Amino acid sequence: MRFLLVLSLGIAAVLAVKQEDFKQCGQSSFCRRLKAIASRQEAAPKGAFVSPYSLGSPIDTPGASDASSWTWPMRSSLYPEIQFDLRVDVLEQGDGIVRVRVDEVGSKTPFRRYNETAKWALLDESPRLSSSAKLSSTSERSTITYGAGLSLEVQHAPFRITQLRDGRPEIVLNERSLFHMEHFRIKEQESAEELLGEGAQTVLKGGELDRSWFEEADADMFEEQWKKWRDSKPKGPEGLSIDLSFPGVQHIYGLPEHASPLSLPDTVGPNAHYTEPYRLFNVDIFEYLADSPMSLYGAIPLLHAHSSKHSVGVLDLVASDTWVDVLHTSDAVHTHWMSESGILDLLFLPGPRPDDLFSQYALLTGPTPLPPQWSTAYHQCRWNYIDEDDVLEVDQKFDEADIPLDVTWLDIEYAEEHRYFDWDQKYFADPVRMLNKVADKGRKMVAIIDPHIKRVDSFRIYTDARDLDILIKKSDGSNFEGWCWTGNSVWVDFFNPKSWEWWTRMFQFSTWKQSSPALFIWNDMNEPSVFDGPEISVPRDTIHHGGWENRDLHNINGMAFHNQTTQALIARETPNKRPFVLSRSFFAGSQRYGAIWTGDNNADWEHLHGQTAMILSNNIAGMSFCGADVGGFFGNPSTELLVRWYQAGAFAPFFRAHAHIDTRRREPYLFDEPIRGYIRDIIRLRYQMLPVWYNAFHDASLTGAAILRPQYAVFPDDERGFAIDDQYYIGSEGLLVKPVTVQGATTTQVYLSDNQPYYDYFSHRLYPAASSRTITMDTPLDKFPVLIRGGSILPIRQRVRRASPLMWQDPFTLIVALAKDGSARGQLYLDDGVGYGHERGELVWRDLAFTPKGKNGGSLSSSNKVHSEGLVGVAEVNAWAQAIGHVKVEKVVILGVDKKPASVKAGGVDLQWHYDEGVGARGKKEGGAGKLVIKNPGVSVVESWEIEVA
């Protein structure tokens, strides 16, 4: 009966969720008002619509007189009595990152705008300032010079800010005069105005000023009704409108999370792809559309603008509901950002190339830390595995089918009455016994811990949180209650520091006795999802720590929960182990805390096709550790679709199969051949390539580099690749992947940008070097495009075991794909994969290189990359290097060798080898690559060595 009740609730929720459950811009008072400014600007004669905002003379920012920080008084001719301050900082790090802030000052009301987004999003909410930038000022404008050819021109009247490099404008704030910060006011002062019915608009009149040319008011400014929900809006209107233009570009990227193309299409104008702006407002949305600007589970207010000449970025530190319109013109891309609340806090990222933007963003918000190595392997999930026997049977069936598996997941049904932490003893009588049995095979488990807490006095989590007074409050100060999987629920306010130590204690093994070191955590529903709330979330006037409303910090809420769960897992063991926590909701900076996924997708071809662009968008915005539910969460995929989804999933950073409770079971071992074999081979391929993935994760942890890199980021000069979002490269490893997302496809086209040979990973077919070409590859169901870029060296492990931790002593195979000049380069990074010894120098990091010599010869070498990277405190002989000192390279495969060599030696000793005749990397013929295979060269992965080919 319990199972049927849950099943019915799940089906009802799915069927009930429609687009009308979520607002459009015109249904939000602030968006309606702010978007109307753009309509007025567009309708006005050219040059007639001029910003009402202007600046006074700059001063050194108080308290920062020795740094590159200046403040201008700002006024609006609409409300001359209202005061604002503009502050501009030039940061010490990042090659010229500029921070621009505007806030209302001296308000006669008791209100204040939310100004703490930086506290949660940035590594340091007050980054160190440069001391070398210079300011020059006239009555008309101020100019700041800094960095390599960078300058910031601040026009006083009308207000405008332009970032330039070498005199060329790259970012313009307020070019279209759409900047507007709604000032605080008391409702009674507006009572003389004629306010019409709900949603109707009227001219704002104050004294003798006519503001109708710029702004409008409506009946919802101080109180808003949507469907059955009333928003009390105690601070009244506090919207923020900004326009950002990017001259000289035709492509902008970012604003995750949306199910949209990577290069963002227009939402306004004659070529509008959508009729609504892109929305950043974290929500729980079932069966989302595969192509839509609707808000999803995460929000990162970051944009990249790119051309063949330059790349720049903008990070808008706003956490409230935000809508963004996009308009392409012949010479620029224009964006209009409309936020419900918050100060203006913008960071200009100067680039000038995509890789620079990745590192600049990571300097601000932090890189993705190295995850546990096992978390980069395969995860098997379902809502729900019923009981201990079910879990252990799934575990055993993978072994019987010779399919590797690292993690089995438990959805909400493991918990009695969905009281997370409390195992349902009827189905999981001895959770520790089950966890130990799984761990004995080198595997792990993940259990869900959602933020909604069942409101019953018999539940310790609820009574603790109630007694500590750390729950989210209603606008009247009482504890907020709502409905979710647990029934009547409450939510912890993780902005409250009192909650942090308590939440950490909940995960201690002495507290959660039915846990173990093999159990990790999944934070779902943390937007937060409230089934009976407006837009399936909490009301905007609920109150968090510090008196802030949810409207101010809504998009940070999921990250705050994710963060504290991650810190709790780190603290539960001594010495600390790396945590793994999957979150559905995220914000700028969430990459510091773990992985995310793209949410409740559908088992259809349209969603499979769209997942690549979504994952790429997350990657360029720092959320590299992400993936999509393989097979689709809702519905039953055909076997063809399922195989294609596994192929795509195996080449995403996070690789997990998941399915709804109402779907048929689809674990890989359940299928007949050849489908089972196809899926088995794909999963095994992932395990063979785990060293490649770990290399990419390591690079991301150092520099913020995207793990999956879109075409424009790898080849920023090639305009033909700027809009491509269905293929990508894995880190800097030289692997190009294009998932097959068309039903019935037997051939697939792949675009190759650079003048290098490419090699089919599976067949070793060589596609000769040529610039900017499209190749057609055969892709029957068991094949898909995976290409090795010439000039790359891939370290793989061909011996696949049932779980990845068991592979740590296995030998390596090096695949050397020669460039057209006969060279190749790669890397191999290794550490223990679970702890923090790598931070103490316990690691192995090798530089692998093939250097051509003479006409046909060359040498393959391994050297210590730690030295070349200038890392301090890392000895070549360290604890981890000693632990794996016996691990060898068992095979070397060199592709693109056009002639049979005379000899192959290491240390003067002849090695075993054979040569397969084929075409060479230097030639212009397509065909099977000439291949040199070296067997058991006897070289160690931790030592320097050289193999000579003559």
Side-chain angles (χ1 to χ4, degrees), residues 643-644 647 678 740 745-748 777-784:
V643 169
R644 292 304 192 193
Q647 292 168 350
Y678 294 163
V740 177
T746 57
T747 61
T748 301
M777 302 182 66
D778 290 332
T779 52
L781 187 53
D782 62 333
K783 295 290 187 296
F784 60 107

Side-chain angles (χ1 to χ4, degrees), residues 669-789:
Y669 54 78
L670 293 175
F671 296 91
D672 294 330
E673 297 292 350
I675 300 302
R676 183 198 303 180
Y678 294 163
I679 297 174
R680 177 177 57 237
D681 291 347
I682 297 161
I683 297 174
R684 290 175 65 87
L685 177 63
R686 172 65 172 226
Y687 278 69
Q688 291 172 342
M689 287 191 170
L690 286 176
V692 174
W693 286 101
Y694 207 53
N695 282 346
F697 272 96
H698 179 243
D699 286 348
S701 74
L702 295 180
T703 67
I707 293 174
L708 296 193
R709 301 183 187 180
Q711 196 77 22
Y712 86 89
V714 180
F715 302 106
D717 298 323
D718 181 13
E719 295 184 359
R720 287 181 61 185
F722 291 176
I724 292 177
D725 59 9
D726 58 358
Q727 63 182 54
Y728 51 86
Y729 289 79
I730 298 175
S732 60
E733 301 306 296
L735 270 182
L736 170 61
V737 180
K738 182 170 183 176
V740 177
T741 60
V742 177
Q743 184 176 9
T746 57
T747 61
T748 301
Q749 291 190 323
V750 182
Y751 177 69
L752 305 179
S753 177
D754 55 333
N755 189 16
Q756 288 291 350
Y758 278 74
Y759 304 81
D760 185 323
Y761 180 87
F762 303 105
S763 69
H764 296 161
R765 185 174 187 82
L766 186 153
Y767 298 89
S771 296
S772 301
R773 73 275 194 198
T774 298
I775 63 172
T776 299
M777 302 182 66
D778 290 332
T779 52
L781 187 53
D782 62 333
K783 295 290 187 296
F784 60 107
V786 180
L787 292 157
I788 312 173
R789 183 184 179 191

Side-chain angles (χ1 to χ4, degrees), residues 596-889:
I596 60 103
W597 89 107
T598 60
D600 297 343
N601 54 9
N602 285 350
D604 58 44
W605 290 96
E606 189 178 16
H607 274 80
L608 172 59
H609 179 77
Q611 296 297 294
T612 301
M614 289 181 69
I615 294 171
L616 288 175
S617 181
N618 286 330
N619 265 258
I620 66 169
M623 283 306 311
S624 285
F625 198 3
C626 66
D629 284 345
V630 169
F633 180 65
F634 290 110
N636 296 300
S638 67
T639 54
E640 180 191 2
L641 176 59
L642 186 62
V643 169
R644 292 304 192 193
W645 214 312
Y646 265 97
Q647 292 168 350
F651 283 89
F654 177 56
F655 182 23
R656 182 186 75 156
H658 186 33
H660 188 270
I661 197 170
D662 195 35
T663 63
R664 294 190 294 268
R665 296 286 284 254
R666 53 170 113 122
E667 288 74 20
Y669 54 78
L670 293 175
F671 296 91
D672 294 330
E673 297 292 350
I675 300 302
R676 183 198 303 180
Y678 294 163
I679 297 174
R680 177 177 57 237
D681 291 347
I682 297 161
I683 297 174
R684 290 175 65 87
L685 177 63
R686 172 65 172 226
Y687 278 69
Q688 291 172 342
M689 287 191 170
L690 286 176
V692 174
W693 286 101
Y694 207 53
N695 282 346
F697 272 96
H698 179 243
D699 286 348
S701 74
L702 295 180
T703 67
I707 293 174
L708 296 193
R709 301 183 187 180
Q711 196 77 22
Y712 86 89
V714 180
F715 302 106
D717 298 323
D718 181 13
E719 295 184 359
R720 287 181 61 185
F722 291 176
I724 292 177
D725 59 9
D726 58 358
Q727 63 182 54
Y728 51 86
Y729 289 79
I730 298 175
S732 60
E733 301 306 296
L735 270 182
L736 170 61
V737 180
K738 182 170 183 176
V740 177
T741 60
V742 177
Q743 184 176 9
T746 57
T747 61
T748 301
Q749 291 190 323
V750 182
Y751 177 69
L752 305 179
S753 177
D754 55 333
N755 189 16
Q756 288 291 350
Y758 278 74
Y759 304 81
D760 185 323
Y761 180 87
F762 303 105
S763 69
H764 296 161
R765 185 174 187 82
L766 186 153
Y767 298 89
S771 296
S772 301
R773 73 275 194 198
T774 298
I775 63 172
T776 299
M777 302 182 66
D778 290 332
T779 52
L781 187 53
D782 62 333
K783 295 290 187 296
F784 60 107
V786 180
L787 292 157
I788 312 173
R789 183 184 179 191
S792 307
I793 300 178
L794 300 181
I796 66 171
R797 276 178 156 144
Q798 291 188 312
R799 303 183 191 182
V800 175
R801 301 188 184 271
R802 64 189 178 197
S804 66
L806 306 179
M807 298 168 65
W808 72 280
Q809 299 184 87
D810 288 337
F812 284 83
T813 292
L814 302 182
I815 301 177
V816 182
L818 297 181
K820 65 178 181 178
D821 66 358
S823 68
R825 193 157 208 131
Q827 63 174 331
L828 175 61
Y829 175 82
L830 300 166
D831 59 32
D832 74 357
V834 292
Y836 291 94
H838 63 288
E839 296 181 353
R840 302 186 298 272
E842 297 172 10
L843 57 88
V844 171
W845 194 12
R846 307 302 299 181
D847 187 32
L848 306 172
F850 188 89
T851 305
K853 294 181 180 179
K855 257 192 170 183
N856 301 307
S859 66
L860 176 64
S861 63
S862 170
S863 59
N864 191 1
K865 194 172 176 67
V866 168
H867 293 163
S868 62
E869 294 293 328
L871 296 187
V872 178
V874 181
E876 187 164 5
V877 179
N878 58 68
W880 182 245
Q882 291 176 325
I884 62 169
H886 59 289
V887 177
K888 305 291 185 183
V889 175

Side-chain angles (χ1 to χ4, degrees), residues 450-614:
D450 283 348
H452 44 269
I453 297 171
K454 190 171 185 66
R455 188 193 176 282
V456 290
D457 289 342
S458 60
F459 187 30
R460 63 185 174 87
I461 303 296
Y462 165 67
T463 55
D464 276 3
R466 180 198 61 197
D467 295 345
L468 285 168
D469 194 24
I470 53 174
L471 297 174
I472 295 175
K473 308 295 183 185
K474 291 163 57 175
S475 58
D476 63 7
S478 60
N479 290 333
F480 170 74
E481 297 178 16
W483 197 261
C484 206
W485 296 123
T486 55
N488 194 30
S489 307
V490 294
W491 282 260
V492 171
D493 178 10
F494 284 99
F495 294 94
N496 189 334
K498 287 197 304 181
S499 70
W500 302 345
E501 186 278 330
W502 166 75
W503 192 244
T504 295
R505 195 168 65 251
M506 294 303 97
F507 289 87
Q508 295 293 312
F509 299 130
S510 57
T511 304
W512 194 9
K513 298 183 187 299
Q514 293 180 316
S515 179
S516 88
L519 183 64
F520 294 82
I521 301 302
W522 174 14
N523 287 162
D524 196 359
M525 313 292 284
N526 52 333
E527 295 75 26
S529 173
V530 182
F531 291 163
D532 60 344
E535 301 194 88
I536 318 180
S537 194
V538 295
R540 298 178 188 226
D541 56 2
T542 50
I543 304 299
H544 293 264
H545 178 73
W548 299 114
E549 293 180 278
N550 183 266
R551 85 178 73 250
D552 300 316
L553 45 73
H554 175 87
N555 288 339
I556 307 174
N557 186 82
M559 180 172 74
F561 181 47
H562 192 191
N563 176 15
Q564 293 310 315
T565 304
T566 294
Q567 304 311 321
L569 291 198
I570 294 173
R572 71 181 181 174
E573 291 186 76
T574 304
N576 299 147
K577 297 290 175 56
R578 298 181 213 173
F580 176 79
V581 182
L582 180 75
S583 174
R584 189 170 70 178
S585 182
F586 57 93
F587 187 68
S590 284
Q591 69 273 8
R592 302 194 298 267
Y593 310 125
I596 60 103
W597 89 107
T598 60
D600 297 343
N601 54 9
N602 285 350
D604 58 44
W605 290 96
E606 189 178 16
H607 274 80
L608 172 59
H609 179 77
Q611 296 297 294
T612 301
M614 289 181 69

Side-chain angles (χ1 to χ4, degrees), residues 213-280:
W213 66 275
F214 190 83
E215 70 167 1
E216 293 175 340
D218 59 37
D220 298 330
M221 290 178 69
F222 293 90
E223 184 176 312
E224 191 162 355
Q225 187 80 24
W226 186 67
K227 297 189 174 181
K228 67 178 182 180
W229 296 283
R230 172 185 166 273
D231 179 1
S232 63
K233 301 176 76 168
K235 292 188 288 184
E238 50 177 322
L240 173 64
S241 167
I242 62 172
D243 70 89
L244 289 162
S245 296
F246 302 95
V249 308
Q250 286 298 303
H251 295 274
I252 61 171
Y253 313 93
L255 297 183
E257 181 177 45
H258 293 100
S260 61
L262 179 65
S263 179
L264 297 174
D266 286 351
T267 60
V268 292
N271 299 312
H273 182 69
Y274 301 120
T275 57
E276 283 287 303
Y278 298 97
R279 190 183 185 194
L280 297 171

